[in-house]
Amino acid sequence: QSALTQPASVSGSPGQSITISCTGTSSDVGGYNYVSWYQQHPGKAPKLLIYGVSDRPSGVSNRFSGSKSGNTASLTISGLQAEDEADYYCSSYTSSGTLYVFGTGTKVTVL
Amino acid sequence: EVQLLESGGGLVQPGGSLRLSCAASGFNFNNYAMSWVRQAPGKGLEWVSTISGSDNKTYHADSVKGRFTISRDKSKNTLYLEVNSLRAEDAAVYYCAKKVGGVYAFDIWGQGTMVTVSS
């Protein structure tokens, strides 16, 4: 099972919107509405931002939103803030036998 | 407060073994599937193992199948990962994580425990 493909880095200025893509296959991202997104600051545990493609857990800012089209899921961060600078990972259920697959990770830089 | 606290990591020689533990509190541990996810230094997240909440069915990544075993003690609210035949590429921070009810995602993560494999 190969990792889901994410861009290595994305950057934006404060207040801007950025989008991170996450490309898989019909066995994972495209086949199920079980895409989730995580934010990880250096030295910290990951934090759930989005589950079920577009649902936000209680307490997560509505500046974070998720969507999916075909085999590609996306995370959009609107009104970019300095504290959004972190690594972001997507994940999906997979029917390939390994249950879960993570993305390669994207480093977000706030200019 | 919902919390996961890992322990048991350390320095081990190639071929060696460890038992990682994850103590859960603040939620009904018996009702949820639990997982281990690891992260090698400077690398991304990698799913390792999952155990279901209902029937204790287990799942392992191909990279650890036959060497790692996930288990849980519901009387102690504790998750375990037995790691055997360790290789250099198993060196990582190991996180335990709670599955969101009804959805394939992890909503609660521990702080992680580091496993170093070196002679």
Side-chain angles (χ1 to χ4, degrees):
Chain A
Q1 174 67 50
S2 298
L4 306 176
T5 300
Q6 298 181 231
S9 62
V10 173
S11 62
S13 299
Q16 285 187 329
S17 293
I18 61 170
T19 297
I20 302 168
S21 61
C22 169
T23 301
T25 69
S26 58
S27 296
D28 39 65
V29 174
Y32 307 91
N33 288 325
Y34 288 136
V35 177
S36 53
W37 289 91
Y38 303 87
Q39 177 192 60
Q40 187 181 35
H41 287 105
K44 300 294 187 182
K47 173 188 174 183
L48 178 64
L49 294 177
I50 298 288
Y51 65 93
V53 176
S54 60
D55 291 330
R56 271 189 314 275
S58 172
V60 172
S61 171
N62 60 8
R63 297 187 300 105
F64 296 94
S65 62
S67 62
K68 188 184 83 166
S69 177
N71 293 338
T72 298
S74 299
L75 174 72
T76 297
I77 308 175
S78 57
L80 199 62
Q81 299 179 0
E83 63 257 35
D84 299 332
E85 190 160 288
D87 294 325
Y88 292 80
Y89 295 91
C90 62
S91 180
S92 175
Y93 167 81
T94 173
S95 59
S96 69
T98 57
L99 204 62
Y100 291 93
V101 60
F102 278 96
T104 50
T106 298
K107 181 175 182 59
V108 168
T109 301
V110 181
L111 302 172
Chain B
E1 179 190 6
V2 177
Q3 193 171 9
L4 298 172
L5 188 62
E6 301 96 335
S7 61
L11 174 63
V12 61
Q13 293 186 339
S17 299
L18 281 174
R19 188 176 81 158
L20 308 183
S21 300
C22 171
S25 59
F27 66 98
N28 193 336
F29 178 74
N30 297 343
N31 286 357
Y32 294 93
M34 297 294 296
S35 298
W36 290 94
V37 176
R38 69 183 180 184
Q39 186 171 36
K43 303 297 184 182
L45 300 172
E46 179 188 14
W47 170 77
V48 175
S49 302
T50 293
I51 185 167
S52 67
S54 54
D55 56 4
N56 283 347
K57 189 170 182 180
T58 62
Y59 307 81
H60 294 88
D62 290 342
S63 57
V64 307
K65 206 169 288 183
R67 300 186 300 122
F68 291 13
T69 302
I70 189 172
S71 62
R72 65 196 301 165
D73 185 332
K74 292 185 175 181
S75 68
K76 295 182 178 179
N77 284 0
T78 301
L79 178 73
Y80 301 103
L81 186 68
E82 297 275 356
V83 298
N84 300 309
S85 303
L86 280 163
R87 306 166 180 168
E89 56 264 33
D90 295 320
V93 174
Y94 284 74
Y95 296 101
C96 67
K98 169 187 166 292
K99 179 180 177 286
V100 178
V103 181
Y104 287 90
F106 309 110
D107 59 349
I108 305 298
W109 295 68
Q111 86 291 346
T113 187
M114 182 73 201
V115 173
T116 302
V117 183
S118 175
S119 54

